[in-house]
Amino acid sequence: MLEVLVEYLAQGFLIMLAISMPCVLVAAGIGLVVGILQAVTQVQEQTIAAAPKILGVFLVIVIGGFGFIRLLTNLFTDGMALAFNVVPKNDSYVLSYDYSKYTSTYGNLAPDKFRNNKDIDYLMKNPGKIPFIRNEERIKDLPSNRMPNPRPDLVESKKIMGN
């Protein structure tokens, strides 16, 4: 089974190279030609090389676009066939259909889930409150008596007003 997955991964890398290689080669070729022309004319401008490269790569994508899409579609179809036809037939990678009767959703955590509250009514009555394990932690989180936006004192007011 692992060999099939590695082969599919290798096929994905080859398709990635098949799609990207024409774009990279065209950009490199255009860069070489523009570099030679810049050396001959002694015009050393970085932005001159960018526009022909962009145009060349765009034309490669337009011309080979349907072929690229066909390659990707075939890879996706092979991947779905592998995922839904090959992998489920391999017993070592797939759980049995009745695996849920041998497992527990919460395991042993269910009784201890709300160990910080004696009963669940506290959470139901106070939905915005943070449940705490110890009462000391609850005391630490008391809101302050200050207003949300306190007014500046006299010295700060003078600095703000520029006096």
Side-chain angles (χ1 to χ4, degrees):
M1 181 63 200
L2 188 61
E3 295 85 19
V4 174
L5 295 175
V6 170
E7 182 181 341
Y8 181 71
L9 182 66
Q11 184 182 3
F13 280 124
L14 288 175
I15 289 175
M16 177 187 62
L17 285 174
I19 291 173
S20 64
M21 193 56 66
C23 298
V24 170
L25 289 177
V26 165
I30 291 174
L32 181 67
V33 170
V34 170
I36 291 171
L37 289 174
Q38 282 181 336
V40 169
T41 60
Q42 295 183 355
V43 176
Q44 299 298 324
E45 182 63 34
Q46 296 285 336
T47 57
I48 293 175
K53 285 181 188 178
I54 292 171
L55 184 63
V57 170
F58 178 73
L59 288 174
V60 168
I61 291 173
V62 167
I63 292 169
F66 289 114
F68 298 158
I69 290 172
R70 189 174 301 118
L71 284 172
L72 289 173
T73 304
N74 289 340
L75 180 69
F76 180 74
T77 305
D78 291 346
M80 290 300 109
L82 184 68
F84 291 114
N85 295 332
V86 176
V87 174
K89 292 179 182 169
N90 192 345
D91 293 332
S92 63
Y93 288 103
V94 179
L95 296 172
S96 63
Y97 70 93
D98 59 346
Y99 77 96
S100 61
K101 69 180 180 180
Y102 301 112
T103 61
S104 171
T105 307
Y106 296 108
N108 295 330
L109 298 176
D112 298 330
K113 189 173 184 183
F114 299 107
R115 69 175 192 263
N116 52 353
N117 295 306
K118 300 295 183 230
D119 56 359
I120 196 71
D121 290 334
Y122 174 77
L123 290 175
M124 299 303 259
K125 291 178 183 174
N126 304 307
K129 301 291 181 183
I130 303 170
F132 295 98
I133 294 174
R134 295 186 307 270
N135 197 30
E136 297 87 35
E137 292 179 14
R138 183 182 310 228
I139 292 170
K140 283 186 206 174
D141 196 50
L142 292 174
S144 67
N145 293 333
R146 293 177 49 184
M147 294 175 20
N149 295 320
R151 294 183 53 89
D153 61 5
L154 183 63
V155 175
E156 292 172 340
S157 298
K158 284 185 177 181
K159 285 182 181 177
I160 291 172
M161 299 303 281
N163 294 331

